[in-house]
Amino acid sequence: GYLLMFESVGGPFREIYIRGLGTEAQLAPRGGIIPQGYTPGTVIQELHYRFMLNENAQPGTYAWPLQISARPR
């Protein structure tokens, strides 16, 4: 298996929801780790994100707030 690591690089978010890994994952503003089981061959995932803004969020354009990486378990 492998671990998908989501690290926050900033932004006015209180929660992050990720769909497409077999279930919906809820991450804290700083990110989190989602373990994945072993699958032989190439793995292709389509992920969907929902960012819940905190109460101090200001209107504007923000950079992508997550750095995503994977490593073996």
Side-chain angles (χ1 to χ4, degrees), residues 6-61:
F6 298 85
E7 297 177 64
S8 175
V9 292
F13 307 106
R14 61 182 165 87
E15 294 173 323
I16 302 165
Y17 293 93
I18 302 173
R19 286 185 305 131
L21 299 168
T23 186
E24 183 173 79
Q26 178 181 351
L27 303 178
R30 65 187 175 282
I33 297 173
I34 302 174
Q36 297 293 291
Y38 172 75
T39 302
T42 302
V43 175
I44 298 174
Q45 297 281 357
E46 181 176 320
L47 303 180
H48 302 269
Y49 301 89
R50 181 174 216 160
F51 300 94
M52 305 303 288
L53 299 172
N54 66 31
E55 61 279 350
N56 300 321
Q58 297 295 316
T61 302

